[in-house]
């Protein structure tokens, strides 16, 4: 401890006395100086992130030094056009798009040029919306439905016939056994539209 009171603040370089001292990474700060270098929010031991001589809140630290790219967002506010200029991040111009020379291993994707085609609507199905059922690719929303009643399906409620998908109830009515004792007689409950 230097002569004349306390250590020097890591931010303002003035003397820090014991009653107002916050220690972080071996350095002393005034409570009022212990702020994020970007957003200026007050920090404490649970919210601080240190990079060299700089202190940040965990959110700003993650934006400035954390991993970048798809899947590294932090909640609903991550889909934005903010490129981080306020954080001192230099943006690089994106290189022009060049198609890959590595062919897609999927035979369906090779045939149609990129993505599998939905068995119901015939449009491209990308990984985020893709469901596989009855040996084909389907859009999860809107296309992965019963061919008869239109009910949304899941892998546990799916029955297929000739490449088309049905809910188990419609499949049973259309292709199941018929006759006395199989639920289609006069005393059976039936589902009508």
């Amino acid at each position: 401890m230097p002569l004349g009171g306390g250590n020097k603040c890591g931010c303002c370089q003035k003397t820090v006395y014991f009653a107002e001292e916050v220690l972080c990474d071996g350095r002393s700060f005034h409570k009022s100086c212990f702020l994020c270098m970007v957003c200026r929010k007050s920090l404490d031991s649970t919210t601080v992130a240190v990079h060299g001589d700089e202190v940040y809140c965990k959110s700003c630290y993650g934006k400035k030094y954390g991993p970048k790219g798809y899947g590294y967002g932090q909640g609903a506010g991550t889909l934005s056009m903010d490129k981080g200029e306020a954080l001192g991040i230099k943006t690089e111009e994106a290189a022009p798009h060049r198609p890959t020379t590595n062919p897609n291993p999927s035979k369906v994707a090779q045939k149609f040029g990129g993505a599998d085609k939905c068995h119901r609507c015939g449009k491209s199905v990308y990984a985020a919306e893709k469901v596989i059922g009855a040996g084909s690719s389907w859009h999860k929303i809107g296309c992965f439905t019963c061919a008869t009643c239109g009910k949304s399906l899941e892998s546990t409620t799916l029955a297929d016939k000739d490449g088309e998908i049905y809910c188990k109830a419609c499949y049973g009515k259309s292709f199941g056994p018929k006759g006395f004792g199989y639920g289609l007689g006069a005393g059976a409950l039936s589902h009508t539209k």
Side-chain angles (χ1 to χ4, degrees):
M1 185 180 292
L3 191 62
N7 296 321
K8 297 292 180 189
C9 177
C11 183
C12 69
Q13 303 305 315
K14 294 181 181 173
T15 302
V16 180
Y17 295 100
F18 182 74
E20 59 184 356
E21 183 177 39
V22 176
L23 291 171
C24 176
D25 204 34
R27 295 184 302 154
S28 297
F29 293 88
H30 294 105
K31 287 181 184 176
S32 59
C33 291
F34 196 52
L35 305 172
C36 173
M37 300 207 51
V38 176
C39 68
R40 310 298 294 163
K41 288 183 184 174
S42 293
L43 301 172
D44 61 36
S45 63
T46 63
T47 60
V48 70
V50 179
H51 187 83
D53 289 339
E54 301 170 334
V55 290
Y56 299 93
C57 66
K58 288 187 177 182
S59 178
C60 290
Y61 179 86
K63 289 176 187 172
K64 188 165 184 176
Y65 299 108
K68 308 286 186 282
Y70 180 77
Y72 289 105
Q74 295 177 354
T78 59
L79 297 176
S80 71
M81 297 306 289
D82 180 15
K83 295 182 179 164
E85 289 90 359
L87 302 171
I89 298 172
K90 307 278 189 282
T91 56
E92 301 173 5
E93 288 298 317
H97 175 69
R98 291 188 306 263
T100 181
T101 57
N102 190 9
N104 188 328
S106 167
K107 289 181 181 168
V108 174
Q110 287 176 356
K111 181 178 178 184
F112 293 108
D116 293 343
K117 298 292 181 183
C118 177
H119 192 70
R120 174 87 24 96
C121 69
K123 295 181 181 175
S124 295
V125 183
Y126 299 101
E129 58 189 358
K130 180 176 174 179
V131 178
I132 297 177
S136 299
S137 296
W138 308 79
H139 289 105
K140 173 73 174 157
I141 308 294
C143 294
F144 197 61
T145 57
C146 175
T148 304
C149 70
K151 178 179 160 186
S152 288
L153 299 173
E154 294 181 15
S155 61
T156 58
T157 60
L158 169 72
D160 69 301
K161 172 109 172 142
D162 300 328
E164 195 54 77
I165 55 175
Y166 303 90
C167 67
K168 291 189 176 186
C170 290
Y171 181 86
K173 286 179 189 173
S174 300
F175 307 108
K178 296 183 177 42
F180 182 76
Y182 288 105
L184 294 176
L189 295 175
S190 66
H191 176 72
T192 59
K193 290 184 182 180

